[in-house]
Amino acid sequence: MVKGIFFLWQFTDQEPDCMPLRQKHTTNFLWMTGIIAVAEISEGEGPLVQSPRQLTWYPSHSENAPFPQRCATIILGAIYGTIMYVSDVAAEMSWRGGALMDDHDLEAFLLDLESDRVERKSSAANGNELRRAICAFANDLPNHQQPGILFIGVRDDGSCANLGITDELLRTLADMRSDGNILPLPTMTIQKKTLRGCELAVIVVEPSDAPPVRFRGCVWVRFGPRKANATIEEERRLTEKRRARDLPFDIRPMSAARLADLALELFRRDYLSATLPVDVLEANQRSAEDQLSSLRFVAVEPPSTPTNLGLLVVGQDPRQFFPGAYLQFLRIEGKELTDPIKNQKEIDGPLPDLLRRLDEVLQAHIAIASDLTTQGSIR
């Protein structure tokens, strides 16, 4: 198996056309890994592959391969593909701030004191009290950017309340999300868990992307183990959190980009000189990163992350992040769009270079036809 993985990675490293296989299609990558590994087991012939070029010629890819081998290939590839897919999802959830919690994490919260992320209830009899807790967790006033946990079936002192967790109870809890009392609708999961021998219903509430969240018109927040109505100042802070996340497209950070993706020399030479007076530039002693940040080419949070605006205006290769960031010039032999194309050109690059090249292309294709009989000219 290790040999199979090694040769596939070697293949993708040496073949540029196959790079997306490793970067974006983890499931397909593991499916091919399964093919190679089963081929090695079935054939049992020396080295697996002599060179990356021989990968597609190996007998396991042939339609004439034995039927059991092909079945085992599919099963093994599917198993490993599923494992890697789940791993990718868990990593992405962790990156977004909401962790996929296992029983060990939940037990740690259960044994700890109540806090602004943990609340315990012995029963679900008081539905409005549960909704207030869900509302407060969704608002995440302390800005933990981590989920809040509501344990139902355990007393305040941590002892088990021996509450029977039935399907009806779980459905009642799930209906709290969408019964219209909590708006905007919270993102939450409800599970039946057995922790330290005690049956519990566990509600995990993710922080809202659009606070403030209200329960029947009131904004609820948590202060340690207590919850209360938000003050005007706290509600203003929650509103600012929503506005900070609802940024216009041009100043949103591009998480996949780095500062090296910006053409700093182009920024200094063309953009700064065209937008600011010379004396201002001479008196400005700030670093290039500070200058980029002040012009919204780089986001403040996360730091040193280019924005969409920065990538389009002074990016090294804007089409790497925006495939449609180009102009297409067409010269048609006739007056209709359906007439034959005489010449065409795709113009891309950072915005100053794109506009300059567009002017050059237009100038090069302006034709003047002379009419000698009337001593005139037709442009």
Side-chain angles (χ1 to χ4, degrees):
M1 175 64 71
V2 174
K3 190 181 296 185
I5 294 175
F6 168 76
F7 277 105
L8 182 58
W9 276 81
Q10 184 182 28
F11 176 79
T12 55
D13 281 339
Q14 296 189 12
E15 295 293 329
D17 293 340
C18 294
M19 290 303 291
L21 177 69
R22 186 177 64 178
Q23 295 174 347
K24 298 182 179 179
H25 301 290
T26 307
T27 303
N28 291 341
F29 159 66
L30 266 299
W31 183 77
M32 291 190 68
T33 302
I35 291 176
I36 300 173
V38 172
E40 180 185 20
I41 295 170
S42 300
E43 300 296 330
E45 297 177 358
L48 182 61
V49 188
Q50 295 300 327
S51 68
R53 288 286 183 185
Q54 295 179 7
L55 182 63
T56 56
W57 302 343
Y58 202 71
S60 65
H61 291 72
S62 171
E63 295 181 357
N64 298 324
F67 178 75
Q69 175 181 324
R70 296 204 303 272
C71 290
T73 294
I74 296 173
I75 294 172
L76 184 61
I79 292 173
Y80 278 91
T82 303
I83 293 172
M84 288 303 296
Y85 174 76
V86 172
S87 175
D88 286 348
V89 171
E92 182 176 355
M93 288 291 291
S94 178
W95 173 79
R96 291 185 178 184
L100 288 176
M101 296 187 182
D102 56 19
D103 289 356
H104 178 74
D105 297 326
L106 292 174
E107 283 187 8
F109 282 111
L110 180 62
L111 296 175
D112 202 357
L113 299 175
E114 282 196 351
S115 65
D116 46 20
R117 287 192 58 200
V118 178
E119 183 163 347
R120 304 186 185 98
K121 293 295 179 185
S122 59
S123 72
N126 192 341
N128 288 339
E129 188 68 15
L130 298 180
R131 291 181 178 90
R132 294 187 189 100
I134 293 171
C135 177
F137 284 140
N139 279 320
D140 187 27
L141 181 65
N143 201 32
H144 290 300
Q145 299 184 10
Q146 294 288 333
I149 306 162
L150 181 57
F151 294 104
I152 302 173
V154 63
R155 300 184 182 92
D156 290 341
D157 59 3
S159 61
C160 183
N162 297 314
L163 178 67
I165 308 301
T166 63
D167 289 342
E168 182 180 358
L169 174 61
L170 295 177
R171 284 194 297 267
T172 300
L173 297 176
D175 289 340
M176 292 182 181
R177 173 189 173 274
S178 54
D179 60 8
N181 287 303
I182 305 175
L183 295 173
L185 299 182
T187 300
M188 62 189 223
T189 60
I190 299 97
Q191 292 179 301
K192 176 183 177 180
K193 292 286 186 179
T194 301
L195 303 176
R196 302 181 65 84
C198 182
E199 276 196 358
L200 304 172
V202 180
I203 302 178
V204 179
V205 185
E206 298 290 339
S208 175
D209 286 333
V213 179
R214 302 174 186 272
F215 167 59
R216 293 184 177 176
C218 295
V219 179
W220 288 85
V221 294
R222 289 189 70 88
F223 305 93
R226 298 179 62 85
K227 55 184 175 291
N229 285 323
T231 64
I232 295 176
E233 173 64 19
E234 290 161 350
E235 192 168 335
R236 184 185 64 80
R237 287 171 55 190
L238 293 173
T239 302
E240 288 178 351
K241 286 173 61 177
R242 182 188 66 226
R243 290 174 178 169
R245 291 167 179 164
D246 292 341
L247 295 174
F249 172 80
D250 52 349
I251 60 175
R252 291 178 188 170
M254 173 62 73
S255 59
R258 298 293 179 266
L259 197 61
D261 293 314
L262 299 181
L264 298 182
E265 183 60 31
L266 173 67
F267 171 70
R268 298 190 187 96
R269 184 187 69 242
D270 292 353
Y271 190 85
L272 283 181
S273 61
T275 55
L276 296 174
V278 176
D279 57 338
V280 174
L281 292 176
E282 291 177 351
N284 192 332
Q285 300 299 319
R286 291 187 297 177
S287 65
E289 186 173 340
D290 289 338
Q291 292 173 336
L292 289 166
S293 180
S294 66
L295 294 169
R296 302 295 184 92
F297 287 174
V298 169
V300 177
E301 187 68 32
S304 303
T305 302
T307 61
N308 296 330
L309 174 67
L311 292 169
L312 288 171
V313 177
V314 294
Q316 299 274 12
D317 181 13
R319 292 186 70 177
Q320 178 183 355
F321 304 96
F322 308 103
Y326 68 95
L327 295 175
Q328 186 171 19
F329 170 82
L330 290 179
R331 185 172 182 181
I332 300 172
E333 193 70 45
K335 298 182 179 180
E336 303 293 335
L337 289 176
T338 55
D339 291 334
I341 296 175
K342 185 176 182 180
N343 200 347
Q344 74 89 23
K345 185 177 183 63
E346 286 187 3
I347 307 171
D348 58 13
L351 194 57
D353 289 350
L354 184 148
L355 295 176
R356 176 180 51 79
R357 292 172 58 196
L358 177 61
D359 286 339
E360 294 173 353
V361 171
L362 293 176
Q363 290 290 339
H365 285 84
I366 292 177
I368 299 178
S370 299
D371 186 350
L372 300 179
T373 60
T374 60
Q375 296 184 351
S377 61
I378 302 174
R379 184 180 290 270

